[in-house]
Amino acid sequence: MGTESMGLRESKKQETRQLISDHATRLFMEQGFEQTTIAEIATAARVAKKTVTNYFPRKEDLALDHHEAFTATLARAVADRAAGESPLSALRREFTAAVETCDPVAGFAGPEFARMIADSPTLSARLRELHDLREEALAEALAAAVPPAHAPAIAPRAAAALLAAAHRLLFQRIQELTLAGESNARISAAVAPEAAYVFDLLETGLPTEED
């Protein structure tokens, strides 16, 4: 098979995958995730039920189909940071840009999508799992970076736990404001200074009672 034929075949597979995902998301929003069946999704997309499960082994991945990009986001920011830039600075810069552009990966996915997740115990549990996987990937990226002198073995995991917790909090904040009916522009304006405060805490440490 030639390169062109392989490219066309891969393109067709991506189109089919996106078609299935689009129909699944629409049905989930209309009917609820728990109430929608794989058979209904297959019928809507005009494919076989087995085709759906071949592309999406887990039903949750039909709704959270960008999960791989989500779990890799923080680790990639650390790995791709500029020379001399600290992991914290890189993560702060990346999150600030995500808020400015209302990036869906940061939580700007719209009220229907946010409600779909909030109303589904299965999707809520999967999202928590994805946050955990993102933290693990970040810990691996930090471990690959040059560690501070005399840092204990737990240092990369400790840093990842703190950084991932901050991102999880800010993601939840964006979802909270989305469900409250705020526009992306208003959410961005509200979250930008809150994110600055959170990252300042990470840089300087939590204040004491005397501060």
Side-chain angles (χ1 to χ4, degrees):
M1 184 179 295
T3 302
E4 184 176 353
S5 296
M6 291 179 65
L8 289 173
R9 183 175 180 180
E10 185 61 31
S11 177
K12 180 63 176 176
K13 287 173 64 177
Q14 289 299 322
E15 289 177 6
T16 301
R17 189 182 192 281
Q18 189 62 51
L19 177 69
I20 294 170
S21 176
D22 289 346
H23 280 289
T25 300
R26 176 180 58 80
L27 288 171
F28 293 154
M29 289 179 178
E30 292 175 356
Q31 305 177 175
F33 177 82
E34 315 293 346
Q35 292 75 24
T36 302
T37 66
I38 297 297
E40 288 175 316
I41 294 168
T43 298
R46 297 183 178 182
V47 298
K49 182 178 177 180
K50 186 176 181 181
T51 301
V52 176
T53 55
N54 281 342
Y55 280 97
F56 300 93
R58 297 179 59 160
K59 183 182 174 184
E60 302 94 299
D61 292 340
L62 281 157
L64 303 169
D65 58 328
H66 297 295
H67 61 278
E68 292 180 351
F70 178 82
T71 57
T73 302
L74 304 186
R76 188 178 66 248
V78 169
D80 296 345
R81 70 190 188 282
E85 186 178 29
S86 72
L88 176 55
S89 294
L91 289 167
R92 181 172 193 156
R93 173 174 50 77
E94 289 289 328
F95 187 81
T96 299
V99 170
E100 290 176 351
T101 59
C102 298
D103 190 341
V105 176
F108 292 90
E112 295 86 0
F113 195 85
R115 176 56 59 192
M116 176 187 71
I117 294 176
D119 288 345
S120 168
T122 303
L123 288 180
S124 296
R126 176 57 173 161
L127 183 57
R128 289 193 294 271
E129 182 181 11
L130 292 178
H131 278 292
D132 290 342
L133 291 172
R134 186 162 72 156
E135 180 181 327
E136 292 175 11
L138 176 58
E140 292 177 2
L142 291 171
V146 179
H150 309 299
I154 200 174
R157 289 162 52 198
L162 295 170
L163 293 164
H167 281 81
R168 188 185 306 228
L169 171 64
L170 293 168
F171 183 96
Q172 293 169 343
R173 178 62 171 149
I174 293 169
Q175 295 285 286
E176 171 189 310
L177 292 170
T178 299
L179 292 171
E182 299 288 355
S183 68
N184 278 353
R186 290 177 65 88
I187 295 171
S188 179
V191 170
E194 293 178 346
Y197 175 80
V198 170
F199 282 105
D200 283 347
L201 285 180
L202 290 172
E203 289 182 355
T204 62
L206 293 174
T208 65
E209 293 182 1
E210 290 77 20
D211 289 341

